[in-house]
Amino acid sequence: MAEPPQKWGKRPDGSALGGAVDFLLANARLVLGVGGAAVLGIATLAVKRLIDRATSPRGEDDAKLDPTCLEDGWKELSLLKATPHLHPQPPPAPLSQPVPPPASAPAAAEGPGDAHPRDPDARTSPQLSCPVPLCLTFQEKLLAFERDHVAIPAADKALAKQLAGDISLELQAYLRGKFPALPFGALEPGGPLYDGLQAGAADPMRLLVPLALEPGLWGLVPGMDTVAADPRCWALRRTQLEFHPRGSSPWDRFLVGSYLSPRALLELLRQALAASVNWPAIGSLLGCLILPGVASPELLLEVRHGHLELCIAVLPAVAAAGHLLLARPLEGLAGNLWVQDWYPAEAARLRALDEGDAGVRRRLLQLLCGVCRGHPMLGQLGRGPLTQVVLHLGEAAANWAEEALGERFLQALEELVGSLERASLPGHFNPCVNLLDNLSAEEIDAIGYALYSGLQEPERLL
């Protein structure tokens, strides 16, 4: 053991505690071992420096405020905190006694997958690397939502198109065999999935059932000129009755007054799809399950193939005078009118605009449809109003690169809020049509409030 200093009171700095510190440091290695002496040395060195600075003469004030000295003090304290606590080693056992086997580590006994180690020192040891939380921008969150909830895998797209094509062929063969007197045209599957506008698997695919009308026997009447006064619709009037009386056309069986009634045609096809078509046999042939939607007023087919679920809307259609007219279930006086379908023109216009400047208008429409579909209130908007908003913004001179997708998304929400405040959203190709007419005042207020709240915190919509 080292000898204690003989003259503690005669140190140059006049501190008797410094000698005691030197004595402890000199004998700590024999008592505590190398590790314990290192920890004790660092601790006492920091205390000793504090004591020396406190007892130093006033002439050394400048040295006490020296930045290098302060920096050394912070380094010592941080080194003291980072030094792990070492247990004192027990004295060696006599050589005559057998040496016990080393105890297994607690982590090894608990297994590599144990997330809660039993060693208390492991819980108190400092974490050398902590994960830094990522702060994503709204643009990045929007792209992540598109990837996770909007985009459809290419394999699912190909399978959906194949199933829709096979079902259309089977249904076409059935209609020609069941109603040989009715000249149905070739069934044409289409819709957002074929035009790059599909948002998830919930949007129904379109299966058009064209009616081959005789030329010269049918004329178009604008919906505003009928008793319904509906600008969305057209009436198909039977003409040339003096030369071609009733019964000379196979479609005369669906006349109501002098007009071809889509309601009567829908009722015929509904009964056929629900009761006559052998869907189990067709589904077994195609390797899927096909169920007609009996609860919906529209003609719907629900298709399930493994994890893939499809919804196919069967739409009787008439092409006349450059217009595409669909048979849709309407209420009131408009029940015998045909609805003009603007979807092909809208999809073609969006595609042309995107091809002109490599824009992302169709992706914006997909995002809007995906966000609104998952919202309890915004789901009432439907695809029609969202398409009109994107078309209106798409015609304006703005940046439509991918980097501006988040900005265009917020701008579309602002356009929707403005339209709801006015309770008016005119159609892009027919300004006489207000696409918000089917919503009540209470529904408009609820949707407007949801959109306004979404503008304050847009991340909550995703």
Side-chain angles (χ1 to χ4, degrees), residues 81 85 119-127:
K81 294 178 181 179
H85 178 70
D119 188 3
D121 296 330
R123 291 196 297 267
T124 58
S125 60
Q127 299 293 332

Short mmCIF file of all heavy atoms in Angstrom, two decimals, residues 81 85 119-127:
data_model
loop_
_atom_site.label_atom_id
_atom_site.label_comp_id
_atom_site.label_asym_id
_atom_site.label_seq_id
_atom_site.Cartn_x
_atom_site.Cartn_y
_atom_site.Cartn_z
N LYS A 81 -20.38 9.89 -17.51
CA LYS A 81 -21.72 9.35 -17.73
C LYS A 81 -21.70 8.16 -18.67
O LYS A 81 -22.48 7.23 -18.54
CB LYS A 81 -22.64 10.43 -18.28
CG LYS A 81 -22.90 11.55 -17.30
CD LYS A 81 -23.80 12.60 -17.92
CE LYS A 81 -24.05 13.74 -16.95
NZ LYS A 81 -24.90 14.80 -17.56
N HIS A 85 -20.93 0.88 -15.62
CA HIS A 85 -20.68 0.50 -14.23
C HIS A 85 -20.09 -0.89 -14.19
O HIS A 85 -20.64 -1.84 -14.74
CB HIS A 85 -22.01 0.54 -13.47
CG HIS A 85 -21.86 0.09 -12.03
ND1 HIS A 85 -21.20 0.84 -11.10
CD2 HIS A 85 -22.30 -1.03 -11.40
CE1 HIS A 85 -21.24 0.20 -9.93
NE2 HIS A 85 -21.90 -0.94 -10.10
N ASP A 119 -31.30 -8.17 -17.28
CA ASP A 119 -30.15 -7.54 -16.69
C ASP A 119 -30.46 -6.07 -16.43
O ASP A 119 -30.72 -5.31 -17.36
CB ASP A 119 -28.94 -7.67 -17.64
CG ASP A 119 -27.66 -7.20 -16.95
OD1 ASP A 119 -27.74 -6.84 -15.76
OD2 ASP A 119 -26.61 -7.19 -17.63
N PRO A 120 -30.43 -5.60 -15.18
CA PRO A 120 -30.75 -4.17 -14.94
C PRO A 120 -29.75 -3.24 -15.56
O PRO A 120 -30.07 -2.13 -15.94
CB PRO A 120 -30.76 -4.08 -13.40
CG PRO A 120 -29.92 -5.23 -12.93
CD PRO A 120 -30.13 -6.32 -13.92
N ASP A 121 -28.49 -3.70 -15.68
CA ASP A 121 -27.49 -2.83 -16.30
C ASP A 121 -27.78 -2.62 -17.77
O ASP A 121 -27.48 -1.58 -18.33
CB ASP A 121 -26.09 -3.45 -16.13
CG ASP A 121 -25.71 -3.50 -14.65
OD1 ASP A 121 -26.19 -2.61 -13.92
OD2 ASP A 121 -24.98 -4.42 -14.25
N ALA A 122 -28.37 -3.64 -18.42
CA ALA A 122 -28.70 -3.49 -19.84
C ALA A 122 -29.79 -2.46 -20.04
O ALA A 122 -29.85 -1.78 -21.05
CB ALA A 122 -29.13 -4.84 -20.42
N ARG A 123 -30.70 -2.33 -19.04
CA ARG A 123 -31.76 -1.34 -19.18
C ARG A 123 -31.24 0.06 -18.97
O ARG A 123 -31.76 1.01 -19.54
CB ARG A 123 -32.87 -1.65 -18.17
CG ARG A 123 -33.65 -2.90 -18.48
CD ARG A 123 -34.94 -2.92 -17.68
NE ARG A 123 -34.68 -2.94 -16.25
CZ ARG A 123 -34.62 -4.07 -15.55
NH1 ARG A 123 -34.79 -5.23 -16.15
NH2 ARG A 123 -34.40 -4.04 -14.26
N THR A 124 -30.22 0.21 -18.13
CA THR A 124 -29.71 1.55 -17.83
C THR A 124 -28.56 1.95 -18.72
O THR A 124 -28.08 3.06 -18.63
CB THR A 124 -29.24 1.61 -16.37
OG1 THR A 124 -28.24 0.61 -16.17
CG2 THR A 124 -30.41 1.36 -15.42
N SER A 125 -28.07 1.05 -19.57
CA SER A 125 -26.96 1.41 -20.45
C SER A 125 -27.42 2.40 -21.49
O SER A 125 -28.54 2.35 -21.97
CB SER A 125 -26.40 0.15 -21.13
OG SER A 125 -27.41 -0.44 -21.90
N PRO A 126 -26.57 3.34 -21.87
CA PRO A 126 -26.99 4.37 -22.83
C PRO A 126 -27.20 3.78 -24.20
O PRO A 126 -26.52 2.85 -24.62
CB PRO A 126 -25.81 5.35 -22.82
CG PRO A 126 -24.64 4.53 -22.39
CD PRO A 126 -25.18 3.52 -21.42
N GLN A 127 -28.20 4.30 -24.92
CA GLN A 127 -28.47 3.90 -26.30
C GLN A 127 -27.53 4.65 -27.22
O GLN A 127 -27.53 5.88 -27.25
CB GLN A 127 -29.92 4.20 -26.66
CG GLN A 127 -30.94 3.46 -25.78
CD GLN A 127 -30.89 1.96 -26.03
OE1 GLN A 127 -30.53 1.54 -27.13
NE2 GLN A 127 -31.25 1.18 -25.03
#
